[in-house]
Amino acid sequence: MKTIAFFDAKPYDRIWFDEYSEEYGVSIRYFENRLNPDTAFMARDCDGVCAFVNDIVDEAVINSLYGNKVGVVALRSAGYNNVDFKAAYGKVHIVRVPAYSPYAVAEHAAALLLALNRKIHRAYNRTRDGNFSLNGLMGFDLHGKTAGVIGTGKIGRVFIDICRGFGMKVIAYDPRPAKDSGIEYVELPELYRQSDIISLHCPLTKDTRHIINSEALSLMRDGVFLINTSRGALIDSKALLDAIKVKKVGGAGLDVYEEEAELFFEDYSNTVIQDDVLARFVSLPNVIVTSHQGFFTEEAMQNIARTTLYNLRAFFQGDALDNEICYRCQKFGACDKSHKTRCF
Ligand code: NAI
């Protein structure tokens, strides 16, 4: 049986990984620590590593793992912006879970939109305090409004279906439009100008970092609602805060935050939060922050465990790695995987 070091382990991770690990021939050593250059040595007696979104898989970590003959990092996530793929190439294989439940994330985006619009978070607190006033709780009909969706991959398309279910008009931007999808694609400035709500469903790359900056915000409709369930750094947080203060943005639902790595997934309720921008966001009546919980459904967690263990078993058995990714995968025809079954 092969052993893996499982970083940033939480009690809820163990539910499905413990249930399935034996079936896939993998023994798991759970560590609460995040993976980073200081903790990478903890995997020294292991054959593989399992990492999550805020673990750091940079050059120093790769070299440490490679030096200890750890051949694979299995990301238990779809996103992979935390990996230095150039450093990993030829040394450590990187596998991920490309899809586990697009519904989980799209439904969470819709939950943020509905709660923000109808002020459910405020109503909940009010009625618990015996306050049954409606002052300040007025929302608007989603029916007939325009949703602008940035990124029409798996999650974006489920979100589009949900919006259509509400009777919304949908427009979208994606550099790789989905063929025969019936989606109306427009360029970004047009999307900003037309949309009543904008939801981000694209990955974080060097091109999409701060895609929502002060310039983009200035093109948007006054009072626009912004939903981000993708990656925090898609939004320039300070620019968003300024836009909220001048009422350019009427509401923001943020499941991810630029600087989340320091805070999200942990309990800091007894601590003074040092991040002033985040502290301001959580204090505003028209902002809802959730701590990267879009993926967090039973179905998604079960699929994440099964696919991660499948990826690890395939690596250990020398099989093809369907879910491997490398920096050459992005460039058409550059990666060897199609004929050699592994990226290297
Ligand atoms: P996907 O790979 O199916 O779709 C991403 C889409 O974004 C693709 O169609 C791609 O062409 C498009 N895209 C790439 N560059 C773009 C750009 N510059 N502008 C607009 N679109 C662009 O990915 P999926 O599964 O839909 O996930 C989307 C993102 O959601 C992930 O990258 C991840 O960051 C995030 N995510 C968040 C979770 C959460 O718990 N909040 C859980 C899972 C994913």
Side-chain angles (χ1 to χ4, degrees), residues 96-133:
R96 67 172 183 137
V97 185
Y100 38 87
S101 172
Y103 311 105
V105 185
E107 288 170 14
H108 191 71
L112 287 172
L113 171 61
L114 289 173
L116 264 179
N117 177 26
R118 304 308 297 269
K119 288 128 179 118
I120 303 298
H121 53 306
R122 301 183 60 204
Y124 172 78
N125 283 328
R126 272 191 197 184
T127 53
R128 282 164 68 90
D129 198 30
N131 177 353
F132 301 99
S133 153

Side-chain angles (χ1 to χ4, degrees), residues 52-53 77-81 96-102 105 108 149-157 173-178 185 188 200-205 207-208 211 228-231 234 255-256 265 292-296:
F52 196 47
V53 292
S77 62
Y80 43 78
N81 51 288
R96 67 172 183 137
V97 185
Y100 38 87
S101 172
V105 185
H108 191 71
V149 176
I150 301 182
T152 56
K154 293 175 284 296
I155 297 170
R157 269 179 280 170
Y173 170 75
D174 193 309
R176 294 184 191 164
Y185 286 97
L188 275 179
L200 304 177
H201 298 289
C202 58
L204 176 62
T205 63
D207 297 330
T208 60
I211 191 170
N228 187 9
T229 55
S230 279
R231 284 292 180 268
L234 295 174
D255 186 46
V256 284
F265 307 125
H292 204 139
Q293 69 178 73
F295 71 100
F296 201 43

Side-chain angles (χ1 to χ4, degrees), residues 150-166:
I150 301 182
T152 56
K154 293 175 284 296
I155 297 170
R157 269 179 280 170
V158 175
F159 185 75
I160 287 173
D161 286 344
I162 293 172
C163 289
R164 286 182 174 152
F166 285 131

Side-chain angles (χ1 to χ4, degrees), residues 39-334:
T39 59
F41 77 94
M42 294 165 87
R44 62 188 178 281
D45 301 323
C46 296
D47 307 287
V49 154
C50 183
F52 196 47
V53 292
N54 290 324
D55 288 313
I56 296 169
V57 191
D58 63 4
E59 191 175 5
V61 167
I62 293 289
N63 287 337
S64 169
L65 297 178
Y66 185 61
N68 283 318
K69 300 189 171 50
V70 176
V72 63
V73 172
L75 300 171
R76 51 183 193 282
S77 62
Y80 43 78
N81 51 288
N82 50 339
V83 178
D84 183 338
F85 281 101
K86 283 212 168 148
Y89 194 78
K91 291 180 176 170
V92 176
H93 292 266
I94 309 290
V95 289
R96 67 172 183 137
V97 185
Y100 38 87
S101 172
Y103 311 105
V105 185
E107 288 170 14
H108 191 71
L112 287 172
L113 171 61
L114 289 173
L116 264 179
N117 177 26
R118 304 308 297 269
K119 288 128 179 118
I120 303 298
H121 53 306
R122 301 183 60 204
Y124 172 78
N125 283 328
R126 272 191 197 184
T127 53
R128 282 164 68 90
D129 198 30
N131 177 353
F132 301 99
S133 153
L134 296 184
N135 289 332
L137 299 187
M138 196 186 302
F140 55 82
D141 285 8
L142 290 177
H143 183 93
K145 297 293 185 302
T146 300
V149 176
I150 301 182
T152 56
K154 293 175 284 296
I155 297 170
R157 269 179 280 170
V158 175
F159 185 75
I160 287 173
D161 286 344
I162 293 172
C163 289
R164 286 182 174 152
F166 285 131
M168 301 183 82
K169 179 186 173 193
V170 177
I171 54 175
Y173 170 75
D174 193 309
R176 294 184 191 164
K179 288 193 190 93
D180 304 324
S181 59
I183 298 170
E184 181 186 342
Y185 286 97
V186 295
E187 290 303 315
L188 275 179
E190 195 51 36
L191 183 143
Y192 295 147
R193 271 192 283 272
Q194 283 192 35
S195 303
D196 299 296
I197 71 120
I198 294 175
S199 194
L200 304 177
H201 298 289
C202 58
L204 176 62
T205 63
K206 61 178 175 20
D207 297 330
T208 60
R209 194 186 154 75
H210 287 188
I211 191 170
I212 304 298
N213 53 21
S214 51
E215 195 191 332
L217 288 159
S218 71
L219 296 176
M220 294 178 194
R221 287 191 165 186
D222 290 346
V224 65
F225 274 36
L226 202 56
I227 308 293
N228 187 9
T229 55
S230 279
R231 284 292 180 268
L234 295 174
I235 297 181
D236 177 343
S237 308
K238 289 202 181 80
L240 173 60
L241 185 55
D242 290 342
I244 293 169
K245 283 189 196 165
V246 297
K247 301 192 175 142
K248 181 75 188 171
V249 170
L254 308 174
D255 186 46
V256 284
Y257 174 64
E258 260 188 298
E259 307 297 337
E260 72 176 51
E262 296 302 315
L263 294 163
F264 281 19
F265 307 125
E266 309 297 336
D267 178 0
Y268 287 105
S269 53
N270 286 318
T271 319
V272 175
I273 302 289
Q274 298 297 318
D275 184 325
D276 289 348
V277 175
L278 180 64
R280 190 79 170 97
F281 277 144
V282 295
S283 76
L284 291 166
N286 56 347
V287 176
I288 298 181
V289 176
T290 52
S291 45
H292 204 139
Q293 69 178 73
F295 71 100
F296 201 43
T297 65
E298 272 181 35
E299 291 80 358
M301 293 300 280
Q302 208 168 344
N303 289 337
I304 286 170
R306 273 211 179 276
T307 306
T308 303
L309 290 164
Y310 163 88
N311 289 339
L312 287 163
R313 183 178 64 188
F315 174 78
F316 294 134
Q317 291 183 347
D319 296 343
L321 294 179
D322 317 339
N323 297 321
E324 183 173 19
I325 181 160
C326 73
Y327 77 99
R328 299 171 76 200
C329 287
Q330 312 293 333
K331 297 177 202 145
F332 184 71

